Amino acid sequence: MAETNVKKNEDTLEESFEKLDSLLERMEDRELPLEEAFSLYQQGLELMKSCNEKIDTVEKKIQVLNGDGSFDEF
């Protein structure tokens, strides 16, 4: 059950993409201090990792849905 609660607190893929867009907008500010830009960059990397994991999970679920043992590309 604890696992279910953790997953409810995670962002959806769409929310993660919105956060990435927001980070990119902030990083485009030429007046942004280097330390803050690096912090935003690290946050972006973590979001990208999370997005990749979510996409991988969806791909695996789609493969399982085929059911007949074959794997189709989508």
Side-chain angles (χ1 to χ4, degrees):
M1 276 174 97
E3 209 175 301
T4 303
N5 290 338
V6 171
K7 289 188 179 193
K8 285 184 181 178
N9 292 333
E10 288 182 14
D11 292 334
T12 65
L13 192 55
E14 291 80 8
E15 290 169 337
S16 294
F17 285 151
E18 288 177 16
K19 286 183 179 182
L20 280 169
D21 283 339
S22 175
L23 288 176
L24 287 172
E25 286 179 20
R26 291 172 53 197
M27 289 179 70
E28 289 174 349
D29 180 3
R30 292 186 179 265
E31 301 298 318
L32 187 69
L34 181 60
E35 294 82 7
E36 188 174 343
F38 185 70
S39 175
L40 293 174
Y41 177 76
Q42 287 178 311
Q43 290 175 38
L45 287 178
E46 288 298 316
L47 277 170
M48 286 296 301
K49 180 180 173 185
S50 173
C51 289
N52 284 331
E53 290 171 355
K54 289 174 186 171
I55 290 170
D56 287 344
T57 300
V58 170
E59 287 176 348
K60 289 176 185 172
K61 287 180 181 178
I62 289 172
Q63 289 177 346
V64 169
L65 288 175
N66 286 334
D68 64 356
S70 66
F71 296 103
D72 298 324
E73 291 189 30
F74 48 91

